[in-house]
Amino acid sequence: MTLELLKDIGEQGLLERLQPFCPPGIVGDDGAVIPPPESGQSLVITTDVLVNGVHFSDRYGGVSQCTTSPEDAGWRAAAANLSDLAAMGASPLGITVGLSLTGDVPVSWVERLYQGMTQCLNQYNTPIVGGDICRSPVIAIAITAFGQVYPDQAIRRTGAKVGDAIVVTGVHGASRAGLELLLKPDFGKHLSPEERLSLIKAHQRPKPRLDVIALLSLQVNRLKLESSNLQLSIAGMDSSDGLADAIVQICRASGVGAEIDSNRITLPPSLSKLVSREQALDWALYGGEDFELVLCLPTEAAEELVAQLGEGAAVIGKITSGNQVWLKDKTGTYADQLLSLNKGFQHF
């Protein structure tokens, strides 16, 4: 069977194939017309670029080892942008998609990419409202996402205060473990099929934590009713570049320090069958792409949020004065470790 390639159908032919993935009447002009944010809310805009061989690995475009199907690449691209909206406390309105493609990419690959995107977006009632395509020597996916948030409920990196508890909304290290399993087929022989699939799915199909936003909104509104003078200030970001990166970035933006209890960082239970405790912790801190939220908020509100979330959510430390972020082991087994941005992934 001969694959139909992009160079066979051209730009207009591809646009016709992709239009069904968008709501009727939204695309077809020079821009999308979407409803403005609800009264009193602010518009939140975020852009993310995923490049073949850097953020995902597909055999088209010269990548030697494929770890990501087109559907998974589409899901991850959508999830990364929805996670950025969640990190701002925003609810999604829609996304635009920019595709850079080689002419030798099969048309079916692009259609499967969009199927993966819509599978993720449909779970959060988020439409594709436009985009662009161009010829390129490498496959890249550039997404701009639009969301809305009430100004007093926006989550920023600058709001952490001394004494705040540091919350993670789920486990860390699962995505890096899943990638290792994909890269090394003989790795993880002691895992059950269910454990193996769970870790691989964490890498290929991460879930943006938009569910957390509704819980935080309820807490803010409740506190407003209880006291007109009390404001719940929340600082945070997502952990897509690693847990250590998120904590250090928040502290740097807020002009504070932090102490993290290494024993309270939640890891996937199956990691103990794969690697040592030290390696698992390193994956959690620096592996990245777990797409959980890291939030700094008053202790009582933090404990209430963790109780509501369950499933790996935990208070892992506190905000301190100064400007250093320390990882400490309360058992005394391991030496204290100063966390920095130098060890995690950097593009340049």
Side-chain angles (χ1 to χ4, degrees), residues 208-237:
R209 297 308 305 265
L210 287 163
D211 58 305
V212 178
I213 305 310
L215 296 177
L216 291 174
S217 180
L218 288 173
Q219 286 195 354
V220 170
N221 291 330
R222 177 176 58 80
L223 286 173
K224 283 182 179 179
L225 291 174
E226 292 177 354
S227 174
S228 59
N229 297 320
L230 185 60
Q231 293 291 325
L232 178 57
S233 175
I234 303 172
M237 61 180 289

Side-chain angles (χ1 to χ4, degrees), residues 78 94 131 180 203 210 312:
E180 291 293 325
H203 178 72
L210 287 163

Side-chain angles (χ1 to χ4, degrees), residues 268-324:
S270 56
L271 253 62
S272 62
K273 297 182 180 181
L274 279 177
V275 293
S276 66
R277 166 75 182 178
E278 295 93 326
Q279 182 64 75
L281 193 58
D282 185 79
W283 283 356
L285 291 168
Y286 300 107
E289 298 188 324
D290 287 302
F291 292 101
E292 295 293 341
L293 299 185
V294 181
L295 303 168
C296 304
L297 60 165
T299 301
E300 183 178 348
E303 291 174 348
E304 182 179 340
L305 177 64
V306 166
Q308 291 173 322
L309 289 173
E311 297 184 5
V315 174
I316 63 168
K318 62 182 180 180
I319 296 296
T320 62
S321 58
N323 58 9
Q324 294 183 325

Side-chain angles (χ1 to χ4, degrees), residues 18 46 66 68 80 98 127-128 130 136 155 175-176 189 221 235 247 254 266 272 275 278 284 287-288 302 309 311 347:
L18 298 181
T46 180
C66 177
T68 317
I128 300 172
S136 167
I155 299 171
S175 179
R176 176 57 188 273
K189 293 182 179 179
N221 291 330
I247 298 170
S254 297
T266 46
S272 62
V275 293
E278 295 93 326
L309 289 173
E311 297 184 5
H347 282 283

Side-chain angles (χ1 to χ4, degrees), residues 117-178:
M117 276 193 283
T118 54
Q119 286 168 3
C120 178
L121 295 169
N122 287 346
Q123 296 194 19
Y124 306 98
N125 299 314
T126 306
I128 300 172
V129 298
D132 190 28
I133 57 174
C134 72
R135 184 178 60 193
S136 167
V138 64
I139 298 173
I141 310 163
I143 292 180
T144 297
F146 305 87
Q148 59 185 2
V149 64
Y150 288 104
D152 64 342
Q153 295 184 15
I155 299 171
R156 300 181 183 276
R157 300 179 187 182
T158 54
K161 300 183 298 298
V162 174
D164 278 354
I166 302 173
V167 171
V168 292
T169 57
V171 300
H172 282 81
S175 179
R176 176 57 188 273

